[in-house]
Amino acid sequence: MTDEQTRDETAGAGRRPSDPTTLKRLYGRQKGFKLRDRQQRLLDELLPRVAVPLPPSGRALDPAALFGAPTADLWLEIGFGKGEHMATLAARHPDIGFIGCEPFLTGVVGALGHIEDQRLGNIRLHMGDALAVLAALPDASLGRVFLLHPDPWPKARHAKRRFVNPGPLDLIAAKLRPGGEFRVATDHPTYMAWTVMQMDHRRDFDWLAEQPDDWRVRPDDWPATRYGQWAESEGRPIWYFRYRRA
Ligand SMILES: C[S@@+](CC[C@H](N)C(=O)[O-])C[C@H]1O[C@@H](n2cnc3c(N)ncnc32)[C@H](O)[C@@H]1O
């Protein structure tokens, strides 16, 4: 399979738009560089201990069984990159369970490094498409969903590949409990305008911004990500969207 090839071939015709099996959101590179000894050990030994055990199709994942101890809430990050945002939050909130989804091998190894270095017992990982985990979770089981600097797919003909689209948004809406929060960050002007447009007409999410700084300034409880830091270092604006599940 080449770098540019679509990796999720599960799209089917004639199904309802929110059916996760009709959604394709996994495009691009999966493998990174050759692994060093520690990275290989993390993959061989730690990943099996923290991997999300996806149930057979049609069965629901039991969030309570994921973690060793009861958790106060469950938060999920889509495309965590190398995991710095998730790890920072997991260290700040040891009572909350986190699920991180990322298909990129180098990113998963990065997150495993954070888990080991900081002894984070409250993170579980899925190396693959976030849609598979979202689809398997019970409805209203998530308190927060994070989508930070998603691949922008700036060409109009690739707009359907963006995660912010009706199918994935329907799924996120179903899995967030009422009052739960969907957080999106982007440094791409096209994705910013697209997000506003897609979210504006949805009745199931309320945009929490009341003044311009609410979406132009990173909130204190929102750790920076690698892509966010790149944008900041280059002086590019970042937009921070917080939506509450109605
Ligand atoms: C531009 S990077 C941003 C990474 C990180 N969130 C950050 O802000 O530094 C987008 C990430 O989303 C991941 N990704 C793309 N499609 C995905 C999907 N369907 N499920 C989970 N992750 C996905 C990519 O592998 C990539 O690591």
Side-chain angles (χ1 to χ4, degrees), residues 75-136:
W75 295 1
L76 180 141
E77 183 163 340
I78 300 163
F80 57 69
K82 291 197 174 178
E84 50 288 319
H85 169 272
M86 180 173 63
T88 304
L89 284 185
R92 270 184 209 169
H93 303 282
D95 57 329
I96 289 175
F98 288 79
I99 298 180
C101 307
E102 173 58 64
F104 193 44
L105 180 68
T106 312
V108 170
V109 171
L112 290 169
H114 291 301
I115 292 173
E116 184 176 72
D117 292 345
Q118 298 178 60
R119 297 168 188 240
L120 300 169
N122 54 338
I123 295 183
R124 295 293 177 266
L125 301 179
H126 172 64
M127 190 163 78
D129 194 335
L131 291 171
V133 179
L134 282 166

Side-chain angles (χ1 to χ4, degrees), residues 145-210:
V145 174
F146 304 94
L147 176 68
L148 308 177
H149 304 274
D151 297 319
W153 296 108
K155 292 180 184 163
R157 67 188 162 90
H158 288 149
K160 285 208 165 79
R161 296 182 177 191
R162 295 173 192 152
F163 214 96
V164 172
N165 257 305
L169 291 175
D170 288 347
L171 200 53
I172 291 168
K175 305 303 166 172
L176 272 174
R177 63 159 190 275
E181 210 174 297
F182 177 40
R183 292 188 169 193
V184 185
T186 183
D187 53 279
H188 200 288
T190 303
Y191 212 97
M192 177 272 285
W194 177 264
T195 301
V196 172
M197 192 180 75
Q198 290 291 322
M199 297 300 288
D200 190 45
H201 61 85
R202 295 194 70 103
R203 299 278 74 86
D204 44 4
F205 286 102
D206 297 322
W207 191 5
L208 293 176
E210 287 172 358

